[in-house]
Amino acid sequence: MYEITLAWAEGEQVEAKTLHPWQASKQPGAIRIGRDPDRCDWVLSHPTVSGLHVEIIFQPEQYQFYLRNLRTQNPPFVDGFRLEQGEIALQVGSKIRLGQLELNVTAIAPIKTTVLLAPQLSPIAPDSLVSLTPTAPPTPSTYGLQCPKCHQTSPYEQLQSGCPWCGTSLAAAASVILSPR
């Protein structure tokens, strides 16, 4: 999975925001950007940015982020190109203009993951062992995806393309541990 970082100037300050394809979103699989907090996942307060201006989507098959226009009036510009409709691929160095606000794509990178390893244990001397009453082995748990729209949870092995209940893309779904049945 990849993440995209955008930077822009607000007065004398340079701001930056990193977006992840799986973050909570009002439109599953997309990160909506604009001034209206009721319709957008990332709110920009600049007065020339539309209420709902654009969305950024990630296509995992191409390992590529795209910017999609959501406005017929006040369309975005990407690298000087006026995006009237549809979507355009984003690259590191791309310049996105929403109204008079310019955003720069500063990074597109794989998401760093942390792997936790079990601590190494010291050997135990045989005379220090304690006899314990046997207990039932722990019940294995499995993982599934929770639909961001209807919140139903499906085991991985039952998923094909989208949520089996409402059909929503599970690209932005949260991974959850399912309790044993």
Side-chain angles (χ1 to χ4, degrees), residues 139-153:
T139 308
S141 59
T142 59
Y143 292 89
L145 291 177
Q146 184 178 34
C147 177
K149 184 175 181 183
C150 71
H151 304 290
Q152 295 287 339
T153 302

Side-chain angles (χ1 to χ4, degrees), residues 25-26 31-44 49-54 70:
S25 175
K26 294 178 181 357
I31 301 160
R32 292 195 155 183
I33 303 170
R35 262 192 1 263
D36 184 355
D38 291 332
R39 296 185 294 164
C40 297
D41 306 304
W42 179 23
V43 178
L44 295 169
V49 173
S50 297
L52 176 59
H53 210 124
V54 295
L70 300 176

Side-chain angles (χ1 to χ4, degrees), residues 8-173:
W8 69 101
E10 271 190 28
E12 299 292 318
Q13 296 272 37
V14 174
E15 303 288 333
K17 182 156 183 91
T18 300
L19 306 172
H20 305 276
W22 72 85
Q23 70 189 57
S25 175
K26 294 178 181 357
Q27 178 67 32
I31 301 160
R32 292 195 155 183
I33 303 170
R35 262 192 1 263
D36 184 355
D38 291 332
R39 296 185 294 164
C40 297
D41 306 304
W42 179 23
V43 178
L44 295 169
S45 61
H46 197 277
T48 62
V49 173
S50 297
L52 176 59
H53 210 124
V54 295
E55 63 186 9
I56 293 178
I57 57 173
F58 180 70
Q59 293 293 336
E61 300 83 25
Q62 293 96 14
Y63 300 100
Q64 183 71 55
F65 283 95
Y66 290 87
L67 182 85
R68 181 179 293 153
N69 180 21
L70 300 176
R71 299 285 306 164
T72 54
Q73 299 173 334
N74 194 18
F77 285 77
V78 178
D79 297 326
F81 174 76
R82 183 181 171 118
L83 183 62
E84 294 285 338
Q85 61 183 4
E87 52 196 45
I88 189 168
L90 297 174
Q91 312 294 328
V92 173
S94 289
K95 295 185 183 317
I96 303 165
R97 197 175 81 201
L98 305 178
Q100 295 175 355
L101 182 65
E102 186 172 283
L103 306 166
N104 297 302
V105 177
T106 59
I108 296 176
I111 296 171
K112 296 175 183 160
T113 57
T114 303
V115 177
L116 300 175
L117 300 175
Q120 294 294 321
L121 299 176
S122 302
I124 300 173
D127 59 343
S128 66
L129 293 175
V130 176
S131 176
L132 297 174
T133 307
T135 59
T139 308
S141 59
T142 59
Y143 292 89
L145 291 177
Q146 184 178 34
C147 177
K149 184 175 181 183
C150 71
H151 304 290
Q152 295 287 339
T153 302
S154 302
Y156 285 146
E157 56 272 357
Q158 292 180 4
L159 301 176
Q160 290 155 3
S161 61
C163 175
W165 286 274
C166 69
T168 299
S169 167
L170 295 174

